[in-house]
Each structure stands twice: as structure tokens, then as C-alpha cells.
Amino acid sequence: MTTVSARLATVLAAHVDQAFALMGNGNAWFLDALRTTDMRITAVRHETATVASADAYHRVCGRVGLATMTYGPGFTNTVTSLAEAAQARTPLLVVAGAAPTTGPRPWDVDQTAIAAAVGVPTYTVDAGTPGRVAVEALHHALARRTPVILALPYDLVNAPTAEDDDVPALPALPTPPGPGGADVARVAEVLGAAARPLILAGRGAKAAAVQVRELADRLGAVTASSAPARGLFAGRPYDLGVAGGFASVPSAELIHAADVVLAVGAGLNQFTTAFGQAFAPHARVIQVDLAEHALHPAVTDVVRGDASIVVRALADELADHPRPDRPWGGAAETARDGRLIFEREPGERAAPDGRLDPRSVMRRLDAVLPADRVVVSDGGHFIGWANTYLDLPAADSITLVGTAFQSIGLGFPSAPGAAAARPDATVVVVTGDGGGLMGLPDLDSLARAAASAIVLVFNDAAYGAEVHQYGSQGLDQDIMLIDEVDFARVATGFGCASAVVRTFDDLDAIEAWVADGARGTFVADLRVSREVVAPYILEIIEATLKAPKPGDPSSAEAAGALTEA
């Protein structure tokens, strides 16, 4: 007779092709059964990486990943990455060991309540229909775009099940909502009359990339993307690159000059909107999203619906719209060849304190690193460098697991997921010394999983974002500083090639690794200066200084504005 674990493995392998796992008492039998299927399994070194990698896997390739870990501490170690996946609306399935059906043991916690607290539902396996429950959980994940826990009670892992051998089919997913005809006509009229239209695309527009580009061409619109969707307009003339605090100054000026903004699948958070300063006060901002309400105060029109359906309907409505010879009546010609995206401060070979200037480093690395790249960025001050200086070839070329929940430390844990999703590309992991130390165990996972990967550690011996945001307000910085860690030496212990990069000329080591085929994992310990501050951080500092201080009557409202996802 088939066991519950074997049944789960067979059914899930029929619908999911990649798992990220850390074995423990609660999932050992399940993993043993999973090894007999065709599902690929990547072992990771910390439970948070099971979920973070499954999250990155979906963001990069669009397929659902499976995370699995044991009960108790194995499960609680995943809470941060679960919260991130929930807030980023990433569908994934988590097979977690759970308390036995007879009741909790001293080391069991209420995992269902913990998951619910971060917005994640739980389905509990039973001995009678484990396969059906698994398919229901997977359907929920896909239909609601959310992580889902599939709890496996400890006393059922090796229990028999009489469920038949047929693999349940995945029920049809709900039909994506479309817009009302009146909304389409109204918005099409506004777009058709626009003198300086801008289309801003977010992650929600990835599936509609072709239609969005065609609509932009028809309207003579300039385009831009949110940070997580960078690369969606790669190679398109009149593209401004990333919007908000990561934009170049010339791009930001054109974004602010738009009279109509069509925001497709973009969250319009404080970073995308440059703390509300990205768009002109008179601009008409049209939101296309599955959300029923405006996602930002600047939004003037809300069109609820699936991005592909809405954009296709707008294109049909505007089929007879004459294509302009020159977008914006010639006012956007400076953006024609895309050079505005990279018109940024070039930096110096060395900062005033003698350490590396991250701007010049990134300009050189953009030219040196393989063009077929997938960038995995941790969170921290350095997020302002890779996101703005590295060219990206496609919409799935960057993943920022952690930004939705404003977490750091998920760079290394999410990197194996990107490597599994794009085994043909070079994975470029960008992290800081603080976040890098948090996720360090999964440098080993990356080294084992990736055929080609380079890790760029922006090592400023500090939690840089905190130094700039709070040190600038006079707070004591001692707790914000980190004893300088030799990441190159640590990386050698994980079997990686590595180098400490103290001078601009030391970057030759990376160029040599690329010239030699860019195989294996290379860790570059970049000793960067704290004196060079990313422009987006300056925006945050300015917004923080304008906000009421803790204890002021409106401080809670201000704090919410500064941390909106």
C-alpha cells in the first residue's frame, strides 16, 4: 500500500518541477519519496532559503517552486521569507512537517497561526486523500497568487493511504478579470489625447510585455519600469529605464514631464514614485492592476483587470490612432537610443577616503560581466548601485527577494532559486556585508547549485543604509558598524574562487575569471567607501527629515508612508 509521503511526492511531482529542501524529522520520509520522482531537488543550508529560493525561482522563470522543511524551529526559520513571498504575491507551495494528529508535543508551535499572521494559509494533509489535498493547496497558491503551507502531520509521514493511484488534475484557474467597456473607452480617449504619454510597467505587466511595448509604440509613449521589472523594455527606443529613486537624473526629468502616466501592474510604492515626487502634480495617472483601489494618492483613474486583457483592449480601442512621427513632438529625442538610462555619475577610481567608488566599479563591471545575466539583489544601501548601473537583457533578469517586506539577508538564500530557474545564465548576486553575513550559509548552496555565478559583496564595514539614514540625524553609529570581514577568505572555505578588491585595478581578477569562461562561483569582496551615498538614500533621508518624529501626533501616519510595500 502507498504511504502518505509517497503519494504526496507522486502527485506534486506531476505538477511541480523544482524543490528547495532542508531535511529534518518532519519531512525526511517525504524527501526520500520525492527522490524517486523526476522533480529536481536543490538542498539548501538554512530553512529560510527553502522559501526564498522557491520565491526567486517563480519570479525568474514563472513556474511554481516547492519548499520543504521540518516542523518547529525548521518552520519558524522560514517566517521572514514567507512574509516576503506573501507580500510579493508569489505563488509557491511549502511542505512543512507538522505536529501529529494526536496533539502537539512540547516542541511544537501553532504553525497555522504563525503562517496566518504573515498572510499565508495552511492546508493539512490527511491519510484519506493526501493527493487531493495537495492539489487543492497548489490550486489555491496559483489562483490567489500566494504561498500556501501544506502541513504534513508527523504521525502520517509513513502511514498508509488508500487513495487511488490517479493523479488529480489541477482545476482550471479563474478567468482573469477584464475591464469594463466604459473604462477602456475613457482611458483610451485620455491616452489618445496625451501630448507626453508615459507607460510605467511593474512586475504585474511581465506577461503583457509584448502588448505593452506595442501600445507604447502606437501612442508614441516613452517607457519606464519599476525596479523589480527592470529589463521589460530592454532595447526599446525611448525607454527611460527604471523609475523613481533609481532613475538617472535625465530620465527622472522626462518622467516628471509626462502629462499622462499609464501604470501597468506596478505597485507605485514610495521608491517607484520617488516619495511622491516622480510625477508632475497635474499629470493624469491611470492605474491598471488587479487591485480595486488606488495604490497611491497620485492615481487619478483606476482600471481593474488583468494587464494583458486591459492593454489588449486599449490597443484595440486605439487601433486607428495615428502613430506620431516623433514621440512627444520631438521633446523625447534625447531618450531615443536609451542612453539616458546610463547617464549617471561615473564616479572616480577611488573615493576621497581611498576606498572603492561603487559607481565606477559598477560601470566597469557592467561592461565586463557576461551579458546573459540574472541579477539577484539583497536589500541595503548598495541596492542603488546594481539596480541602476547594470544593464538587464529581459524582464526576468533581476529579482529582489526581500524588498516587498523590506528585509535584508535574503540575497544568498534566494540565489539558488535563480540559478535553478536560469541554469544557462550567469547569476550575479549583489549583497552587502551585513546582509551577506545574515545569509552566509547559503553561499554554499549557491556554489553547489550554479554553473556560473559571481557574488559582489559591497563591503563598507557597516550597515550602510542605517549609517546614512540615522547617523545623519545624529544617532550613535557604533552599533551600525561591522568589523571588516574578509569575504574572500570565507568564500575559499566554500570552494569558491575569490578576491579582495581594494583598488580599481584589482577588478582585473574578475575580468580574468570571465575571460576564462565564468565557470563556478567567484566572490568579489569589494571594499567600497561609505562616503559615496546612493541617490535613492538621499531621497529617503529627505523624506525622513520632513516626516514627524516619533512621539509627534502624526508620526504613525508618517511611518506608514515611509514603509509602504
Side-chain angles (χ1 to χ4, degrees), residues 134-538:
V135 169
E136 288 176 356
L138 179 58
H139 182 263
H140 185 116
L142 289 166
R144 305 290 181 86
R145 298 194 58 79
T146 182
V148 173
I149 308 298
L150 188 58
L152 178 56
Y154 185 63
D155 56 338
L156 298 186
V157 294
N158 211 23
T161 178
E163 190 176 36
D164 62 58
D165 294 335
D166 292 338
V167 174
L170 189 67
L173 296 176
T175 302
D183 286 339
V184 171
R186 171 174 50 84
V187 169
E189 182 178 1
V190 173
L191 289 171
R196 298 180 303 281
L198 163 71
I199 295 183
L200 171 61
R203 284 182 60 219
K206 285 184 179 181
V210 173
Q211 295 97 319
V212 172
R213 291 172 73 115
E214 290 176 350
L215 180 62
D217 292 342
R218 181 177 300 281
L219 292 170
V222 299
T223 51
S225 67
S226 65
R230 271 209 55 210
L232 190 145
F233 295 112
R236 180 183 183 270
Y238 304 104
D239 181 45
L240 304 178
V242 66
F246 298 138
S248 68
V249 172
S251 289
E253 290 174 348
L254 283 176
I255 289 170
H256 195 266
D259 61 348
V260 175
V261 179
L262 181 67
V264 184
L268 298 176
N269 63 26
Q270 74 269 32
F271 300 115
T272 303
T273 61
F275 287 88
Q277 303 304 307
F279 313 132
H282 64 270
R284 189 89 172 255
V285 180
I286 304 164
Q287 171 187 304
V288 174
D289 199 272
L290 293 175
E292 298 180 0
H293 60 280
L295 298 173
H296 192 275
V299 172
T300 57
D301 301 82
V302 174
V303 180
R304 182 174 186 266
D306 176 79
S308 297
I309 297 174
V310 174
V311 173
R312 191 178 300 115
L314 288 172
D316 290 344
E317 190 74 17
L318 290 161
D320 296 328
H321 184 272
R323 297 185 182 227
D325 295 330
R326 294 193 302 166
W328 288 30
E333 287 306 294
T334 55
R336 180 165 185 164
D337 59 5
R339 68 179 183 273
L340 292 188
I341 299 172
F342 297 105
E343 282 196 6
R344 307 182 185 281
E345 289 293 330
E348 305 293 338
R349 289 175 68 91
D353 61 1
R355 293 173 73 95
L356 291 169
D357 185 325
R359 299 168 298 183
S360 60
V361 168
M362 292 311 296
R363 286 175 70 91
R364 181 171 177 192
L365 289 178
D366 183 53
V368 166
L369 295 177
D372 189 9
R373 61 184 69 156
V374 176
V375 178
V376 175
S377 182
D378 204 335
H381 172 227
F382 57 87
I383 202 172
W385 305 128
N387 208 304
T388 54
Y389 282 85
L390 287 182
D391 189 18
L392 297 175
D396 59 357
S397 299
I398 188 166
T399 177
L400 302 103
V401 175
T403 53
F405 192 47
Q406 298 203 15
S407 169
I408 71 171
L410 295 181
F412 282 138
S414 62
R422 285 292 311 279
D424 55 318
T426 296
V427 179
V428 182
V429 181
V430 186
T431 189
D433 47 338
L437 288 169
M438 286 184 183
L440 192 58
D442 286 294
L443 171 57
D444 172 71
S445 305
L446 173 67
R448 288 182 291 100
S452 175
I454 182 166
V455 177
L456 307 177
V457 182
F458 284 78
N459 190 348
D460 60 358
Y463 292 101
E466 284 68 27
V467 166
H468 298 307
Q469 291 181 74
Y470 301 110
S472 64
Q473 298 182 59
L475 276 66
D476 185 87
Q477 295 186 28
D478 282 352
I479 196 65
M480 307 174 195
L481 304 181
I482 302 170
D483 291 340
E484 191 165 72
V485 174
D486 189 334
F487 281 88
R489 181 173 295 182
V490 172
T492 301
F494 285 118
C496 304
S498 63
V500 174
V501 181
R502 294 187 176 87
T503 70
F504 198 77
D505 290 338
D506 290 341
L507 293 168
D508 291 348
I510 299 175
E511 191 163 356
W513 175 75
V514 174
D516 199 36
R519 308 310 296 168
T521 297
F522 188 100
V523 175
D525 184 346
L526 306 174
R527 302 297 172 87
V528 298
S529 172
R530 290 201 296 270
E531 295 184 9
V532 183
V533 185
Y536 89 95
I537 285 285
L538 297 176

